Amino acid sequence: MQYYWSREDLLDFYRQVADMPVDIVYLGETVCSKRRLFRFDDWMDTARMLRDAGKEVVLSTLALLEAESELKTLRRICANGEFLVEANDMAAVQLLSAAGLPFVAGPTVNIYNVSAQESTPVFPT
């Protein structure tokens, strides 16, 4: 979620999304862990509601982790057991890779290193 909406606004928005003609919905806080109007269980309940409405749900993670509480939440998201995860930080990539779980690499994953360059496919122009 890129915006700081009230809890009720978030609930209303996702109820509307359930009826929208979209196939995939990304859920979660990616910007700031201090915006805790939705907790892990709230995101999971919302994800299940959207799944029941026929949507594929992907749980998004924070782009920058700075505290143990954020790592605790990240571990719960990665081990959710129901939904694909969008990894927006290398900590999420490591947790998901170590567990052998598939994931989506988010736009904020920093992979500027030799290993990534060597494994990145090159497409002809």
Side-chain angles (χ1 to χ4, degrees), residues 34-115:
K34 291 177 178 64
R35 302 186 320 186
R36 295 184 184 175
L37 298 175
F38 261 37
R39 303 235 183 251
F40 175 78
D41 291 337
D42 297 320
W43 288 117
M44 291 297 290
D45 290 344
T46 302
R48 291 179 188 115
M49 180 269 299
L50 290 167
R51 180 185 58 201
D52 292 346
K55 311 300 181 196
E56 179 182 350
V57 176
V58 180
L59 299 178
S60 297
T61 65
L62 283 171
L64 178 63
L65 295 123
E66 299 180 308
E68 181 59 37
S69 61
E70 295 166 350
L71 285 170
K72 181 181 176 184
T73 299
L74 175 67
R75 288 183 196 105
R76 288 186 75 191
I77 292 169
C78 291
N80 78 81
E82 294 182 62
F83 302 101
L84 189 64
V85 174
E86 176 191 40
N88 283 308
D89 180 90
M90 286 307 292
V93 170
Q94 288 176 322
L95 285 170
L96 293 159
S97 294
L101 296 171
F103 62 91
V104 175
T108 59
V109 172
N110 181 345
I111 55 170
Y112 298 109
N113 60 54
V114 174
S115 298

